[in-house]
Amino acid sequence: MGGIIPAHVGIIMDGNGRWAQKRGLVRTQGHLEGLKTAKKIVKAASDLGIKYLTLYAFSTENWKRASDEVGFIMDLVKQYLRAEFDFSKKNKIRTRFAGDFQGLPSDIQKEISVSIRDTADFEGMQVVLAINYGGRDEIIRAFRKYAAETTDEINEKVFHKYLDNPDIPDPDLIIRSAGEYRTSNFLLWESAYSEFYISDKLWPDWEKGDLENAVADFQKRDRRYGGIK
Ligand code: IPE
Ligand code: IPE
Ligand code: MG
């Protein structure tokens, strides 16, 4: 597609549970389907020329859910990282991470570290997996690192260096599937001037065309950043 392609797109992949419920299936079935969609959308985003794609896979609040659902999601993350290495290699996709890494089970930590290491030289799209991620938590962790490391006077530029991925530009576009009008603690600092696109479609139903519609909508926005044109 033509026009300006957003450099960084964040996706709040919501609606897996409702998708399953509608079909009389267990919630975990929705997560399995949601993973297939995530793979499809990663490919579509890479084909569109998006440089950074942040996928909100598990929030710091999602631990409130039943332990079998949480365990299932963690296993899916592992599976995804293992099974997708060939795909990542072929498409030069680099894995990144955002969130409270130390708070993850050690087997997941290991799998993520391996994927980050093995894809570190790939120069195509960077996929940031936001797992055990909360925007408030990221800000607090950043503040702790700042306080431990320096007595430089704090300002936005200094503080920014302590966020999870300071080298990645702020998201241009944040997409949320499944019709909820809230951020649910996603990229609070980074989304100050992001454009938001909310679709009623449940995440497992998303196709390449839905991503293209979101980008087309983004292309019509007038980004003023508080200024006047
Ligand atoms: C999003 O789908 C995936 C995660 C939060 C892990 P949900 O599981 O939140 O699905 P709904 O919102 O209950 O439909
Ligand atoms: C947001 O979805 C988190 C992810 C998609 C990972 P939730 O389903 O957790 O958000 P709420 O509870 O509807 O706000
Ligand atoms: Mg939800």
Side-chain angles (χ1 to χ4, degrees):
M1 72 185 288
I4 292 175
I5 299 297
H8 182 180
V9 175
I11 308 184
I12 303 170
M13 307 181 290
D14 196 21
N16 293 348
R18 279 164 277 176
W19 182 91
Q21 215 163 14
K22 263 175 56 180
R23 286 164 179 76
L25 303 168
V26 287
R27 293 180 57 84
T28 47
Q29 214 45 44
H31 295 311
L32 193 62
E33 214 54 37
L35 173 68
K36 291 185 197 158
T37 301
K39 290 182 192 173
K40 247 195 303 193
I41 297 300
V42 165
K43 175 79 169 75
S46 162
D47 290 346
L48 281 178
I50 289 166
K51 290 196 167 67
Y52 306 92
L53 180 70
T54 299
L55 297 177
Y56 200 10
F58 193 86
S59 76
T60 47
E61 287 72 48
N62 287 145
W63 298 105
K64 291 176 191 163
R65 298 185 181 199
S67 64
D68 64 334
E69 181 174 346
V70 170
F72 191 88
I73 294 170
M74 292 296 155
D75 279 348
L76 282 184
V77 168
K78 258 196 333 201
Q79 264 182 43
Y80 168 83
L81 292 169
R82 266 193 212 165
E84 291 310 283
F85 181 72
D86 290 342
F87 171 81
S88 294
K89 194 172 174 189
K90 187 163 163 236
N91 294 282
K92 298 276 165 285
I93 291 170
R94 182 175 164 194
T95 304
R96 305 282 300 262
F97 178 82
D100 175 12
F101 191 74
Q102 301 310 325
L104 285 169
S106 58
D107 57 329
I108 308 286
Q109 285 188 17
K110 191 167 167 246
E111 211 70 46
I112 293 169
S113 303
V114 166
S115 179
I116 290 172
R117 186 196 66 201
D118 292 349
T119 64
D121 294 332
F122 295 169
E123 286 172 344
M125 187 173 75
Q126 303 193 18
V127 175
V128 185
L129 300 174
I131 304 171
N132 195 18
Y133 178 85
R136 288 182 174 179
D137 179 69
E138 181 187 20
I139 291 168
I140 295 297
R141 285 186 292 101
F143 187 78
R144 287 201 187 116
K145 284 182 248 171
Y146 155 81
E149 243 177 58
T150 175
T151 50
D152 287 358
E153 195 183 331
I154 197 157
N155 59 39
E156 288 184 16
K157 205 173 153 209
V158 168
F159 185 69
H160 182 265
K161 290 193 284 193
Y162 297 94
L163 292 169
D164 286 345
N165 291 291
D167 61 309
I168 297 182
D170 287 344
D172 300 291
L173 170 64
I174 291 182
I175 294 170
R176 182 164 189 149
S177 61
E180 240 55 89
Y181 282 68
R182 54 178 173 258
T183 67
S184 300
N185 208 5
F186 188 48
L187 301 177
L188 295 184
W189 178 280
E190 298 86 343
S191 65
Y193 277 98
S194 301
E195 298 295 329
F196 281 78
Y197 179 87
I198 291 158
S199 152
D200 283 336
K201 219 179 213 194
L202 305 175
W203 179 247
D205 291 326
W206 269 60
E207 306 268 357
K208 181 178 192 182
D210 296 297
L211 180 66
E212 288 172 345
N213 289 343
V215 170
D217 200 79
F218 166 83
Q219 290 175 338
K220 290 186 284 195
R221 309 286 177 90
D222 178 18
R223 304 183 79 188
R224 291 185 294 278
Y225 299 95
I228 292 167
K229 278 210 178 139

